[in-house]
mmCIF file with all atom_site columns, all heavy atoms in Angstrom:
data_model
loop_
_atom_site.group_PDB
_atom_site.id
_atom_site.type_symbol
_atom_site.label_atom_id
_atom_site.label_alt_id
_atom_site.label_comp_id
_atom_site.label_asym_id
_atom_site.label_entity_id
_atom_site.label_seq_id
_atom_site.pdbx_PDB_ins_code
_atom_site.Cartn_x
_atom_site.Cartn_y
_atom_site.Cartn_z
_atom_site.occupancy
_atom_site.B_iso_or_equiv
_atom_site.pdbx_formal_charge
_atom_site.auth_seq_id
_atom_site.auth_comp_id
_atom_site.auth_asym_id
_atom_site.auth_atom_id
_atom_site.pdbx_PDB_model_num
ATOM   1   N N   . HIS A 1 103 ? 104.014 92.215  95.193  1.00 0.00 ? 103 HIS A N   1
ATOM   2   C CA  . HIS A 1 103 ? 102.868 93.114  95.336  1.00 0.00 ? 103 HIS A CA  1
ATOM   3   C C   . HIS A 1 103 ? 103.214 94.539  94.929  1.00 0.00 ? 103 HIS A C   1
ATOM   4   O O   . HIS A 1 103 ? 104.094 95.157  95.534  1.00 0.00 ? 103 HIS A O   1
ATOM   5   C CB  . HIS A 1 103 ? 102.339 93.049  96.777  1.00 0.00 ? 103 HIS A CB  1
ATOM   6   C CG  . HIS A 1 103 ? 101.043 93.768  96.945  1.00 0.00 ? 103 HIS A CG  1
ATOM   7   N ND1 . HIS A 1 103 ? 100.075 93.788  95.970  1.00 0.00 ? 103 HIS A ND1 1
ATOM   8   C CD2 . HIS A 1 103 ? 100.551 94.517  97.956  1.00 0.00 ? 103 HIS A CD2 1
ATOM   9   C CE1 . HIS A 1 103 ? 99.035  94.491  96.401  1.00 0.00 ? 103 HIS A CE1 1
ATOM   10  N NE2 . HIS A 1 103 ? 99.310  94.956  97.588  1.00 0.00 ? 103 HIS A NE2 1
ATOM   11  N N   . GLU A 1 154 ? 102.784 92.387  83.469  1.00 0.00 ? 154 GLU A N   1
ATOM   12  C CA  . GLU A 1 154 ? 103.067 93.776  83.893  1.00 0.00 ? 154 GLU A CA  1
ATOM   13  C C   . GLU A 1 154 ? 104.343 94.318  83.267  1.00 0.00 ? 154 GLU A C   1
ATOM   14  O O   . GLU A 1 154 ? 104.552 95.518  83.258  1.00 0.00 ? 154 GLU A O   1
ATOM   15  C CB  . GLU A 1 154 ? 103.077 93.886  85.423  1.00 0.00 ? 154 GLU A CB  1
ATOM   16  C CG  . GLU A 1 154 ? 101.768 93.388  85.981  1.00 0.00 ? 154 GLU A CG  1
ATOM   17  C CD  . GLU A 1 154 ? 101.484 93.767  87.416  1.00 0.00 ? 154 GLU A CD  1
ATOM   18  O OE1 . GLU A 1 154 ? 102.001 94.769  87.895  1.00 0.00 ? 154 GLU A OE1 1
ATOM   19  O OE2 . GLU A 1 154 ? 100.698 93.031  88.045  1.00 0.00 ? 154 GLU A OE2 1
ATOM   20  N N   . ASN A 1 205 ? 97.015  88.331  85.571  1.00 0.00 ? 205 ASN A N   1
ATOM   21  C CA  . ASN A 1 205 ? 96.569  88.416  86.982  1.00 0.00 ? 205 ASN A CA  1
ATOM   22  C C   . ASN A 1 205 ? 95.951  87.093  87.416  1.00 0.00 ? 205 ASN A C   1
ATOM   23  O O   . ASN A 1 205 ? 94.988  86.629  86.812  1.00 0.00 ? 205 ASN A O   1
ATOM   24  C CB  . ASN A 1 205 ? 95.525  89.523  87.141  1.00 0.00 ? 205 ASN A CB  1
ATOM   25  C CG  . ASN A 1 205 ? 96.166  90.852  87.396  1.00 0.00 ? 205 ASN A CG  1
ATOM   26  O OD1 . ASN A 1 205 ? 96.779  91.409  86.514  1.00 0.00 ? 205 ASN A OD1 1
ATOM   27  N ND2 . ASN A 1 205 ? 96.030  91.359  88.621  1.00 0.00 ? 205 ASN A ND2 1
ATOM   28  N N   . GLU A 1 214 ? 96.848  90.345  100.481 1.00 0.00 ? 214 GLU A N   1
ATOM   29  C CA  . GLU A 1 214 ? 97.143  91.727  100.062 1.00 0.00 ? 214 GLU A CA  1
ATOM   30  C C   . GLU A 1 214 ? 96.615  92.021  98.662  1.00 0.00 ? 214 GLU A C   1
ATOM   31  O O   . GLU A 1 214 ? 96.434  93.182  98.301  1.00 0.00 ? 214 GLU A O   1
ATOM   32  C CB  . GLU A 1 214 ? 98.678  91.942  100.082 1.00 0.00 ? 214 GLU A CB  1
ATOM   33  C CG  . GLU A 1 214 ? 99.385  91.084  99.058  1.00 0.00 ? 214 GLU A CG  1
ATOM   34  C CD  . GLU A 1 214 ? 100.893 90.989  99.273  1.00 0.00 ? 214 GLU A CD  1
ATOM   35  O OE1 . GLU A 1 214 ? 101.419 91.599  100.208 1.00 0.00 ? 214 GLU A OE1 1
ATOM   36  O OE2 . GLU A 1 214 ? 101.554 90.264  98.488  1.00 0.00 ? 214 GLU A OE2 1
ATOM   37  N N   . LYS A 1 215 ? 96.382  91.009  97.835  1.00 0.00 ? 215 LYS A N   1
ATOM   38  C CA  . LYS A 1 215 ? 95.985  91.201  96.438  1.00 0.00 ? 215 LYS A CA  1
ATOM   39  C C   . LYS A 1 215 ? 94.464  91.410  96.337  1.00 0.00 ? 215 LYS A C   1
ATOM   40  O O   . LYS A 1 215 ? 93.706  91.017  97.231  1.00 0.00 ? 215 LYS A O   1
ATOM   41  C CB  . LYS A 1 215 ? 96.409  90.000  95.582  1.00 0.00 ? 215 LYS A CB  1
ATOM   42  C CG  . LYS A 1 215 ? 97.863  89.624  95.706  1.00 0.00 ? 215 LYS A CG  1
ATOM   43  C CD  . LYS A 1 215 ? 98.766  90.530  94.876  1.00 0.00 ? 215 LYS A CD  1
ATOM   44  C CE  . LYS A 1 215 ? 100.250 90.360  95.194  1.00 0.00 ? 215 LYS A CE  1
ATOM   45  N NZ  . LYS A 1 215 ? 100.810 89.058  95.353  1.00 0.00 ? 215 LYS A NZ  1
ATOM   46  N N   . LEU A 1 216 ? 93.995  91.981  95.234  1.00 0.00 ? 216 LEU A N   1
ATOM   47  C CA  . LEU A 1 216 ? 92.598  92.409  95.111  1.00 0.00 ? 216 LEU A CA  1
ATOM   48  C C   . LEU A 1 216 ? 91.584  91.345  95.524  1.00 0.00 ? 216 LEU A C   1
ATOM   49  O O   . LEU A 1 216 ? 90.749  91.551  96.419  1.00 0.00 ? 216 LEU A O   1
ATOM   50  C CB  . LEU A 1 216 ? 92.283  92.855  93.680  1.00 0.00 ? 216 LEU A CB  1
ATOM   51  C CG  . LEU A 1 216 ? 90.811  93.223  93.466  1.00 0.00 ? 216 LEU A CG  1
ATOM   52  C CD1 . LEU A 1 216 ? 90.441  94.534  94.101  1.00 0.00 ? 216 LEU A CD1 1
ATOM   53  C CD2 . LEU A 1 216 ? 90.468  93.279  91.969  1.00 0.00 ? 216 LEU A CD2 1
ATOM   54  N N   . LEU A 1 219 ? 91.907  90.020  99.180  1.00 0.00 ? 219 LEU A N   1
ATOM   55  C CA  . LEU A 1 219 ? 91.683  91.124  100.135 1.00 0.00 ? 219 LEU A CA  1
ATOM   56  C C   . LEU A 1 219 ? 90.187  91.459  100.228 1.00 0.00 ? 219 LEU A C   1
ATOM   57  O O   . LEU A 1 219 ? 89.610  91.542  101.299 1.00 0.00 ? 219 LEU A O   1
ATOM   58  C CB  . LEU A 1 219 ? 92.457  92.365  99.708  1.00 0.00 ? 219 LEU A CB  1
ATOM   59  C CG  . LEU A 1 219 ? 92.270  93.566  100.674 1.00 0.00 ? 219 LEU A CG  1
ATOM   60  C CD1 . LEU A 1 219 ? 92.963  93.323  102.006 1.00 0.00 ? 219 LEU A CD1 1
ATOM   61  C CD2 . LEU A 1 219 ? 92.740  94.863  100.062 1.00 0.00 ? 219 LEU A CD2 1
ATOM   62  N N   . PRO A 1 231 ? 88.515  98.713  99.833  1.00 0.00 ? 231 PRO A N   1
ATOM   63  C CA  . PRO A 1 231 ? 89.117  99.968  99.281  1.00 0.00 ? 231 PRO A CA  1
ATOM   64  C C   . PRO A 1 231 ? 89.356  99.877  97.755  1.00 0.00 ? 231 PRO A C   1
ATOM   65  O O   . PRO A 1 231 ? 90.402  99.401  97.325  1.00 0.00 ? 231 PRO A O   1
ATOM   66  C CB  . PRO A 1 231 ? 90.430  100.054 100.060 1.00 0.00 ? 231 PRO A CB  1
ATOM   67  C CG  . PRO A 1 231 ? 90.783  98.626  100.398 1.00 0.00 ? 231 PRO A CG  1
ATOM   68  C CD  . PRO A 1 231 ? 89.518  97.845  100.474 1.00 0.00 ? 231 PRO A CD  1
ATOM   69  N N   . TYR A 1 233 ? 90.458  101.340 94.354  1.00 0.00 ? 233 TYR A N   1
ATOM   70  C CA  . TYR A 1 233 ? 91.293  102.458 93.921  1.00 0.00 ? 233 TYR A CA  1
ATOM   71  C C   . TYR A 1 233 ? 90.616  103.234 92.788  1.00 0.00 ? 233 TYR A C   1
ATOM   72  O O   . TYR A 1 233 ? 90.243  102.641 91.751  1.00 0.00 ? 233 TYR A O   1
ATOM   73  C CB  . TYR A 1 233 ? 92.640  101.949 93.403  1.00 0.00 ? 233 TYR A CB  1
ATOM   74  C CG  . TYR A 1 233 ? 93.548  101.285 94.447  1.00 0.00 ? 233 TYR A CG  1
ATOM   75  C CD1 . TYR A 1 233 ? 94.504  100.373 94.049  1.00 0.00 ? 233 TYR A CD1 1
ATOM   76  C CD2 . TYR A 1 233 ? 93.438  101.606 95.804  1.00 0.00 ? 233 TYR A CD2 1
ATOM   77  C CE1 . TYR A 1 233 ? 95.342  99.761  94.992  1.00 0.00 ? 233 TYR A CE1 1
ATOM   78  C CE2 . TYR A 1 233 ? 94.261  100.995 96.741  1.00 0.00 ? 233 TYR A CE2 1
ATOM   79  C CZ  . TYR A 1 233 ? 95.204  100.086 96.331  1.00 0.00 ? 233 TYR A CZ  1
ATOM   80  O OH  . TYR A 1 233 ? 96.029  99.488  97.247  1.00 0.00 ? 233 TYR A OH  1
ATOM   81  N N   . GLN A 1 238 ? 89.788  100.068 86.034  1.00 0.00 ? 238 GLN A N   1
ATOM   82  C CA  . GLN A 1 238 ? 91.038  99.451  85.539  1.00 0.00 ? 238 GLN A CA  1
ATOM   83  C C   . GLN A 1 238 ? 90.712  97.995  85.127  1.00 0.00 ? 238 GLN A C   1
ATOM   84  O O   . GLN A 1 238 ? 89.948  97.310  85.789  1.00 0.00 ? 238 GLN A O   1
ATOM   85  C CB  . GLN A 1 238 ? 92.115  99.451  86.635  1.00 0.00 ? 238 GLN A CB  1
ATOM   86  C CG  . GLN A 1 238 ? 92.424  100.839 87.207  1.00 0.00 ? 238 GLN A CG  1
ATOM   87  C CD  . GLN A 1 238 ? 91.469  101.253 88.325  1.00 0.00 ? 238 GLN A CD  1
ATOM   88  O OE1 . GLN A 1 238 ? 90.578  100.504 88.710  1.00 0.00 ? 238 GLN A OE1 1
ATOM   89  N NE2 . GLN A 1 238 ? 91.651  102.451 88.850  1.00 0.00 ? 238 GLN A NE2 1
ATOM   90  N N   . ARG A 1 240 ? 91.887  94.097  84.193  1.00 0.00 ? 240 ARG A N   1
ATOM   91  C CA  . ARG A 1 240 ? 92.851  93.022  84.341  1.00 0.00 ? 240 ARG A CA  1
ATOM   92  C C   . ARG A 1 240 ? 92.314  91.782  83.634  1.00 0.00 ? 240 ARG A C   1
ATOM   93  O O   . ARG A 1 240 ? 91.102  91.626  83.484  1.00 0.00 ? 240 ARG A O   1
ATOM   94  C CB  . ARG A 1 240 ? 93.104  92.695  85.831  1.00 0.00 ? 240 ARG A CB  1
ATOM   95  C CG  . ARG A 1 240 ? 93.714  93.875  86.645  1.00 0.00 ? 240 ARG A CG  1
ATOM   96  C CD  . ARG A 1 240 ? 95.113  94.167  86.210  1.00 0.00 ? 240 ARG A CD  1
ATOM   97  N NE  . ARG A 1 240 ? 95.803  95.190  86.971  1.00 0.00 ? 240 ARG A NE  1
ATOM   98  C CZ  . ARG A 1 240 ? 95.838  96.492  86.651  1.00 0.00 ? 240 ARG A CZ  1
ATOM   99  N NH1 . ARG A 1 240 ? 95.197  96.911  85.565  1.00 0.00 ? 240 ARG A NH1 1
ATOM   100 N NH2 . ARG A 1 240 ? 96.532  97.363  87.363  1.00 0.00 ? 240 ARG A NH2 1
ATOM   101 N N   . ASN A 1 275 ? 87.736  96.254  87.290  1.00 0.00 ? 275 ASN A N   1
ATOM   102 C CA  . ASN A 1 275 ? 87.692  95.878  88.716  1.00 0.00 ? 275 ASN A CA  1
ATOM   103 C C   . ASN A 1 275 ? 86.277  95.963  89.268  1.00 0.00 ? 275 ASN A C   1
ATOM   104 O O   . ASN A 1 275 ? 85.883  95.147  90.089  1.00 0.00 ? 275 ASN A O   1
ATOM   105 C CB  . ASN A 1 275 ? 88.620  96.812  89.520  1.00 0.00 ? 275 ASN A CB  1
ATOM   106 C CG  . ASN A 1 275 ? 90.093  96.556  89.206  1.00 0.00 ? 275 ASN A CG  1
ATOM   107 O OD1 . ASN A 1 275 ? 90.436  95.495  88.670  1.00 0.00 ? 275 ASN A OD1 1
ATOM   108 N ND2 . ASN A 1 275 ? 90.946  97.518  89.504  1.00 0.00 ? 275 ASN A ND2 1
ATOM   109 N N   . ARG A 1 299 ? 96.202  104.277 93.385  1.00 0.00 ? 299 ARG A N   1
ATOM   110 C CA  . ARG A 1 299 ? 97.609  103.851 93.419  1.00 0.00 ? 299 ARG A CA  1
ATOM   111 C C   . ARG A 1 299 ? 98.386  104.758 92.458  1.00 0.00 ? 299 ARG A C   1
ATOM   112 O O   . ARG A 1 299 ? 97.935  104.952 91.317  1.00 0.00 ? 299 ARG A O   1
ATOM   113 C CB  . ARG A 1 299 ? 97.630  102.400 92.933  1.00 0.00 ? 299 ARG A CB  1
ATOM   114 C CG  . ARG A 1 299 ? 98.993  101.804 92.680  1.00 0.00 ? 299 ARG A CG  1
ATOM   115 C CD  . ARG A 1 299 ? 98.873  100.432 92.006  1.00 0.00 ? 299 ARG A CD  1
ATOM   116 N NE  . ARG A 1 299 ? 98.513  99.377  92.927  1.00 0.00 ? 299 ARG A NE  1
ATOM   117 C CZ  . ARG A 1 299 ? 98.237  98.124  92.565  1.00 0.00 ? 299 ARG A CZ  1
ATOM   118 N NH1 . ARG A 1 299 ? 98.264  97.782  91.287  1.00 0.00 ? 299 ARG A NH1 1
ATOM   119 N NH2 . ARG A 1 299 ? 97.940  97.218  93.443  1.00 0.00 ? 299 ARG A NH2 1
ATOM   120 N N   . HIS A 1 302 ? 99.071  103.922 88.459  1.00 0.00 ? 302 HIS A N   1
ATOM   121 C CA  . HIS A 1 302 ? 98.214  102.732 88.315  1.00 0.00 ? 302 HIS A CA  1
ATOM   122 C C   . HIS A 1 302 ? 97.993  102.409 86.829  1.00 0.00 ? 302 HIS A C   1
ATOM   123 O O   . HIS A 1 302 ? 97.425  103.187 86.086  1.00 0.00 ? 302 HIS A O   1
ATOM   124 C CB  . HIS A 1 302 ? 96.877  103.045 88.994  1.00 0.00 ? 302 HIS A CB  1
ATOM   125 C CG  . HIS A 1 302 ? 96.037  101.864 89.219  1.00 0.00 ? 302 HIS A CG  1
ATOM   126 N ND1 . HIS A 1 302 ? 94.912  101.916 90.003  1.00 0.00 ? 302 HIS A ND1 1
ATOM   127 C CD2 . HIS A 1 302 ? 96.116  100.578 88.811  1.00 0.00 ? 302 HIS A CD2 1
ATOM   128 C CE1 . HIS A 1 302 ? 94.341  100.732 90.056  1.00 0.00 ? 302 HIS A CE1 1
ATOM   129 N NE2 . HIS A 1 302 ? 95.048  99.901  89.313  1.00 0.00 ? 302 HIS A NE2 1
ATOM   130 N N   . TYR A 1 358 ? 96.375  101.620 103.845 1.00 0.00 ? 358 TYR A N   1
ATOM   131 C CA  . TYR A 1 358 ? 94.946  101.950 103.726 1.00 0.00 ? 358 TYR A CA  1
ATOM   132 C C   . TYR A 1 358 ? 94.431  102.954 104.761 1.00 0.00 ? 358 TYR A C   1
ATOM   133 O O   . TYR A 1 358 ? 93.315  103.444 104.614 1.00 0.00 ? 358 TYR A O   1
ATOM   134 C CB  . TYR A 1 358 ? 94.102  100.658 103.802 1.00 0.00 ? 358 TYR A CB  1
ATOM   135 C CG  . TYR A 1 358 ? 94.364  99.739  102.625 1.00 0.00 ? 358 TYR A CG  1
ATOM   136 C CD1 . TYR A 1 358 ? 95.051  98.552  102.804 1.00 0.00 ? 358 TYR A CD1 1
ATOM   137 C CD2 . TYR A 1 358 ? 93.903  100.071 101.358 1.00 0.00 ? 358 TYR A CD2 1
ATOM   138 C CE1 . TYR A 1 358 ? 95.290  97.711  101.721 1.00 0.00 ? 358 TYR A CE1 1
ATOM   139 C CE2 . TYR A 1 358 ? 94.148  99.252  100.266 1.00 0.00 ? 358 TYR A CE2 1
ATOM   140 C CZ  . TYR A 1 358 ? 94.845  98.067  100.465 1.00 0.00 ? 358 TYR A CZ  1
ATOM   141 O OH  . TYR A 1 358 ? 95.086  97.254  99.384  1.00 0.00 ? 358 TYR A OH  1
HETATM 142 P P1  . TYD B 2 .   ? 96.446  93.569  92.489  1.00 0.00 ? 402 TYD B P1  1
HETATM 143 O O1  . TYD B 2 .   ? 95.731  92.388  92.988  1.00 0.00 ? 402 TYD B O1  1
HETATM 144 O O2  . TYD B 2 .   ? 97.317  94.331  93.434  1.00 0.00 ? 402 TYD B O2  1
HETATM 145 O O3  . TYD B 2 .   ? 97.222  93.130  91.201  1.00 0.00 ? 402 TYD B O3  1
HETATM 146 P P2  . TYD B 2 .   ? 98.046  94.041  90.085  1.00 0.00 ? 402 TYD B P2  1
HETATM 147 O O4  . TYD B 2 .   ? 98.218  95.389  90.630  1.00 0.00 ? 402 TYD B O4  1
HETATM 148 O O5  . TYD B 2 .   ? 99.306  93.278  90.031  1.00 0.00 ? 402 TYD B O5  1
HETATM 149 O O6  . TYD B 2 .   ? 97.212  93.989  88.876  1.00 0.00 ? 402 TYD B O6  1
HETATM 150 O O7  . TYD B 2 .   ? 95.351  94.610  91.934  1.00 0.00 ? 402 TYD B O7  1
HETATM 151 C C1  . TYD B 2 .   ? 94.441  94.238  90.916  1.00 0.00 ? 402 TYD B C1  1
HETATM 152 C C2  . TYD B 2 .   ? 93.624  95.462  90.590  1.00 0.00 ? 402 TYD B C2  1
HETATM 153 O O8  . TYD B 2 .   ? 92.856  95.836  91.733  1.00 0.00 ? 402 TYD B O8  1
HETATM 154 C C3  . TYD B 2 .   ? 94.479  96.677  90.250  1.00 0.00 ? 402 TYD B C3  1
HETATM 155 O O9  . TYD B 2 .   ? 93.811  97.448  89.234  1.00 0.00 ? 402 TYD B O9  1
HETATM 156 C C4  . TYD B 2 .   ? 94.501  97.470  91.555  1.00 0.00 ? 402 TYD B C4  1
HETATM 157 C C5  . TYD B 2 .   ? 93.133  97.170  92.150  1.00 0.00 ? 402 TYD B C5  1
HETATM 158 N N1  . TYD B 2 .   ? 93.094  97.189  93.635  1.00 0.00 ? 402 TYD B N1  1
HETATM 159 C C6  . TYD B 2 .   ? 92.170  98.001  94.297  1.00 0.00 ? 402 TYD B C6  1
HETATM 160 O O10 . TYD B 2 .   ? 91.349  98.703  93.686  1.00 0.00 ? 402 TYD B O10 1
HETATM 161 N N2  . TYD B 2 .   ? 92.198  98.021  95.664  1.00 0.00 ? 402 TYD B N2  1
HETATM 162 C C7  . TYD B 2 .   ? 93.087  97.301  96.392  1.00 0.00 ? 402 TYD B C7  1
HETATM 163 O O11 . TYD B 2 .   ? 93.066  97.384  97.635  1.00 0.00 ? 402 TYD B O11 1
HETATM 164 C C8  . TYD B 2 .   ? 94.002  96.429  95.687  1.00 0.00 ? 402 TYD B C8  1
HETATM 165 C C9  . TYD B 2 .   ? 94.997  95.591  96.461  1.00 0.00 ? 402 TYD B C9  1
HETATM 166 C C10 . TYD B 2 .   ? 93.959  96.411  94.308  1.00 0.00 ? 402 TYD B C10 1
#
Side-chain angles (χ1 to χ4, degrees):
H103 189 36
E154 303 196 25
N205 273 70
E214 65 195 359
K215 307 280 168 45
L216 176 73
L219 180 71
Y233 295 155
Q238 304 85 1
R240 297 292 183 267
N275 292 341
R299 171 189 282 174
H302 195 169
Y358 295 109

